[in-house]
Amino acid sequence: MIPVLVASGLSAGEDPEPLACALATACASEWAGDGALVVAIDGTPRGPTMLASAAARECETAISALERPERVAARGRVCRVALGGDELGDDLEELIAAARGVGVIVLAAPAPLTTPLADALGVGAVVMAADHHARGPLARLAVAEHHAAGRLVKLVRPFSGAVPVRRARAGLEVGGEAGRRIRRVARDIGSVLGASAELERGTAVPAVTASPRGTAVRREPEVPLLARVVRPLAEGRRLLGRAGDDRGQVMPLALAAVMAIMLAAAAAVALGGALAGGSRVQRAADLAAISAARSMKSDWPRLFVPATIGGLPNPLHLSKLRYKLRARAAAYEAAERNGADPRRIRVEFPKLTFAPSRVEVALVADLESGEQVEARAEAAILSELGDQLSQAQTGRTGMASGGGYSGPLEMRQGVGMRLDVAAAFDRMAAAADEDGIALMVNSGFRSDAEQAALFDANPDPRMVAPPGQSLHRCATELDLGPSSAYTWLAQNATRFGFVQRYSWEAWHYGYTAGPQPCSAAGENAGGAAAPRSRSGEGARGGGALPEFVPARYRDLIAGAAARHDVSGTLLSAQLMAESGFNPYATSPAGAQGIAQFMPGTAAAMGLRDPFDAAQAIDAQARLMRDLLGQFGSVELALAAYNAGPGAVEGCDCIPPYPETQDYVTRILGLMGGSGASTSLGAGGLPQILEVRLVG
């Protein structure tokens, strides 16, 4: 695993990039091989240099496949990437995973992001540019903070002079005294990280870190982000005892240490008697997990909205890193409010997922009896739609029942509608297709039982009509998407007999050109569906797919969606969740390819090569068409795709498997964030996310 370091200053206004580049070059020279990757957070793009090492160029080629080429440049021994602060989540993790040919990764981080990044990424060392004499107390406290988290931390004097800064930015070794200092720091980091690596491999070498004076000590247990609100009493004494070494800074540092001691004493009083039994510890862990999950539920939609709009940052977007940091902070706050020491709580999220929907909390506490106990809790945000609607939706046939219409249903994208409505929709969809709009049918016929379940979940008549009053029971109402089609629908739907029912529901259209809804004439309404547009097999409608779909797959998805009458947005969200559009992906369970087919399922679908993206996407669309027809629900069809139809049929619900529940929830989030609906969730139903303790 490539070591990850952070270089920063002490305040937000300081530029950490010269230090990061000099550190990366020195590490590459001293112990990390011929190249290093520098990630300049909030940095501006810079061009490459002629004198670039082979390792830096290899890394440049690998990273350019993920990032826009203008952001990546090989400069001397350094491959430099400029990354926006709002893109730290998945982008940063992908960069680290994709780095090739380099022996070390250095993040040039603004001071406010140093600690969150170090905690979230498990950074091995932090190097800060700081003048001991001018800013001694602040530097000491910053060092103590990282030391308490078990990280190696080094202070170096800031660079002075234009020549060292230019050489550093060019990926060249910095000469003179500044160069000697940075090489000593690189050697120290290499020796410590090497010892840690030996310990991980099972040898007897103890892992070490550095005290504020650079002395090697045993690594302390990892202390999570935001947990260091109160300094330990011993830490305050240690700082106070060494204050005299700081050349005239005795009084400020002593005051800081006294404040730390007072805070620690206050915390001890607050904790006294609070954790009198194991049940109190478990309660604190449960509440911390629930608080983290509630934060995730609140922030969930922001994960899926585009990071930019028209090339400008989207203020609604939240990166995965910040999403997790906010949830982590909520867990610490809840634990502390319930008498737990926030320094002894660990918060973890699932690995290898672009949208974490689960959180696990572990809390260690000392009881008044002197016994030490550990409590664990796991909470998740889950979609409840499948549980509430499964009985009404499962087994829907070609004849409507349970509503105001009992005639035949024509299915479009797994959604039922009256025959004349389907014919009119086909004509409208063909016209939209010619204009580059791929219409998505989110909801059509709903029985009274389905409507009652929706109204119970969201009893707001402006959003959900009470049972017995909704025109969806007449099979003439359609909820359409994606949001990119709303303008086109408002301008063109009336030409095909559809009217927008309510000004505040841009997706809701009713068919008015035929017999009255829920009338005797409506029972016998019919009409042949218009020939569907297949021209181009995806050349049209591709622009309506979500922004996260890579260009090389847009036509394949749009074509498969058109051939098999399945929403292209749904297929896109599935592929994102299944493999991240990696056609060569494999899972530990044996799933293969971009659509993650198990070998048995692939054989049953006639899929000869699951690693062929075109074949796999077409098979995925055919399977989803069949599942939507079988279950009549997007949620249940997704669950069946992940867990198998038998598991869904057995309970008429989303099965209680964590992987399946998370899978459905993530895809609903992707579909909502991509504009498949606004106030509605996938399938045209109000999005219902619940927070539960699941472990």
Side-chain angles (χ1 to χ4, degrees):
M1 184 175 180
I2 303 176
V4 181
L5 317 178
V6 171
S8 73
L10 285 179
S11 62
E14 298 178 51
D15 182 6
E17 190 177 334
L19 172 61
C21 293
L23 176 63
T25 303
C27 289
S29 174
E30 295 291 334
W31 55 270
D34 191 38
L37 172 64
V38 171
V39 181
I41 298 172
D42 287 332
T44 57
R46 295 181 183 276
T49 61
M50 295 181 61
L51 300 176
S53 68
R57 294 195 185 280
E58 180 183 356
C59 183
E60 179 187 35
T61 301
I63 299 299
S64 294
L66 294 177
E67 272 296 330
R68 296 200 298 269
E70 68 271 15
R71 292 185 174 188
V72 190
R75 301 172 62 84
R77 284 187 167 177
V78 167
C79 173
R80 179 188 182 274
V81 183
L83 192 65
D86 288 332
E87 303 167 304
L88 295 182
D90 295 330
D91 283 10
L92 185 53
E93 292 180 356
E94 286 183 3
L95 287 178
I96 292 174
R100 296 289 184 273
V102 297
V104 65
I105 298 171
V106 182
L107 309 180
L113 291 179
T114 302
T115 299
L117 282 171
D119 280 313
L121 297 175
V123 165
V126 173
V127 179
M128 292 184 291
D131 190 327
H132 280 284
H133 305 294
R135 308 179 71 181
L138 181 59
R140 277 298 187 85
L141 291 175
V143 167
E145 180 179 31
H146 291 295
H147 172 60
R151 280 189 289 274
L152 172 66
V153 58
K154 291 286 186 178
L155 296 180
V156 297
R157 224 175 261 138
F159 289 151
S160 59
V163 173
V165 170
R166 282 201 300 269
R167 290 185 62 84
R169 290 186 185 276
L172 304 176
E173 291 191 24
V174 177
E177 180 59 28
R180 287 190 287 272
R181 285 198 302 268
I182 203 69
R183 285 196 296 273
R184 284 197 297 269
V185 169
R187 284 194 293 270
D188 290 345
I189 293 173
S191 63
V192 170
L193 295 184
S196 299
E198 291 295 324
L199 183 63
E200 290 178 2
R201 288 195 290 268
T203 63
V205 180
V208 296
T209 184
S211 72
R213 283 292 182 189
T215 311
V217 297
R218 291 186 180 275
R219 184 181 296 276
E220 299 178 4
E222 182 181 353
V223 181
L225 174 64
L226 303 182
R228 296 169 299 283
V229 178
V230 179
R231 300 290 182 205
L233 182 61
E235 180 71 9
R237 287 175 177 166
R238 187 185 60 75
L239 286 174
L240 186 60
R242 297 196 176 192
D245 296 341
D246 211 32
R247 300 191 184 184
Q249 303 296 334
V250 178
M251 185 57 67
L253 187 57
L255 291 175
V258 170
M259 290 179 64
I261 294 172
M262 293 173 64
L263 287 172
V269 172
L271 293 174
L275 301 177
S279 61
R280 297 291 297 275
V281 181
Q282 186 62 55
R283 179 175 180 271
D286 290 346
L287 292 174
I290 289 175
S291 296
R294 284 176 175 169
S295 171
M296 294 161 66
K297 176 188 174 183
S298 175
D299 289 340
W300 181 256
R302 298 180 60 189
L303 277 176
F304 304 102
V305 300
T308 60
I309 298 178
L312 298 176
N314 183 358
L316 296 179
H317 175 72
L318 196 67
S319 71
K320 185 173 77 170
L321 179 61
R322 294 187 179 181
Y323 169 82
K324 290 162 64 176
L325 292 179
R326 288 161 64 94
R328 197 183 296 266
Y332 292 135
E333 182 180 0
E336 190 172 18
R337 286 179 180 273
N338 286 276
D341 186 343
R343 293 168 299 177
R344 306 184 72 180
I345 185 174
R346 187 174 69 253
V347 180
E348 296 180 347
F349 302 89
K351 305 296 183 184
L352 302 177
T353 174
F354 62 88
S357 58
R358 290 176 180 259
V359 59
E360 183 177 344
V361 169
L363 174 62
V364 177
D366 297 319
L367 305 183
E368 289 183 341
S369 62
E371 179 186 2
Q372 187 177 87
V373 298
E374 180 176 358
R376 290 179 174 271
E378 185 179 3
I381 51 175
L382 304 171
S383 168
E384 297 299 301
L385 292 175
D387 293 338
Q388 296 182 14
L389 302 176
S390 60
Q391 292 291 343
Q393 292 183 332
T394 301
R396 175 185 288 169
T397 65
M399 295 296 292
S401 62
Y405 171 73
S406 56
L409 289 173
E410 185 80 15
M411 307 304 289
R412 292 291 181 269
Q413 300 179 17
V415 173
M417 59 191 75
R418 212 169 67 182
L419 270 60
D420 59 332
V421 178
F425 170 77
D426 288 344
R427 292 190 292 271
M428 183 167 66
D433 183 68
E434 292 300 319
D435 290 338
I437 300 293
L439 291 183
M440 174 181 176
V441 187
N442 290 324
S443 185
F445 172 77
R446 288 202 292 263
S447 68
D448 290 335
E450 292 174 308
Q451 196 68 29
L454 290 178
F455 189 75
D456 289 343
N458 187 6
D460 181 355
R462 281 176 56 90
M463 296 302 301
V464 181
Q469 299 181 23
S470 170
L471 291 179
H472 279 282
R473 64 197 297 271
C474 304
T476 58
E477 306 299 294
L478 299 179
D479 291 333
L480 302 173
S483 58
S484 56
Y486 292 164
T487 300
W488 188 93
L489 286 167
Q491 295 172 349
N492 296 279
T494 55
R495 293 195 289 124
F496 304 95
F498 291 92
V499 297
Q500 184 180 345
R501 289 296 190 187
Y502 310 105
S503 60
W504 60 87
E505 291 186 350
W507 56 88
H508 185 178
Y509 282 81
Y511 184 64
T512 61
Q516 288 293 316
C518 292
S519 64
E523 294 289 325
N524 300 314
R532 309 265 184 95
S533 172
R534 294 291 183 270
S535 59
E537 290 289 309
R540 294 288 186 182
L545 296 178
E547 291 185 1
F548 57 72
V549 179
R552 61 185 179 276
Y553 297 121
R554 299 185 77 87
D555 285 354
L556 293 177
I557 295 170
R563 281 191 298 274
H564 303 294
D565 197 24
V566 180
S567 162
T569 301
L570 171 60
L571 298 180
S572 302
Q574 276 188 284
L575 294 172
M576 179 69 175
E578 290 283 1
S579 66
F581 298 98
N582 179 3
Y584 307 109
T586 58
S587 78
Q592 300 174 328
I594 192 171
Q596 290 291 277
F597 276 101
M598 296 296 290
T601 306
M605 295 297 299
L607 176 59
R608 293 188 298 273
D609 183 4
F611 296 107
D612 184 298
Q615 292 183 34
I617 291 171
D618 187 78
Q620 172 207 9
R622 283 189 284 122
L623 179 56
M624 285 305 297
R625 175 199 62 195
D626 295 343
L627 293 174
L628 286 166
Q630 178 179 355
F631 294 105
S633 159
V634 172
E635 294 79 16
L636 297 185
L638 288 170
Y641 189 97
N642 181 264
V648 177
E649 288 176 337
C651 68
D652 287 338
C653 69
I654 299 175
Y657 310 148
E659 178 188 349
T660 302
Q661 293 173 336
D662 294 348
Y663 176 78
V664 174
T665 302
R666 285 197 301 272
I667 292 179
L668 294 183
L670 278 168
M671 292 178 70
S674 66
S677 55
T678 50
S679 299
L680 299 183
L685 307 177
Q687 182 66 58
I688 304 169
L689 293 178
E690 294 291 337
V691 172
R692 287 188 194 171
L693 280 174
V694 293

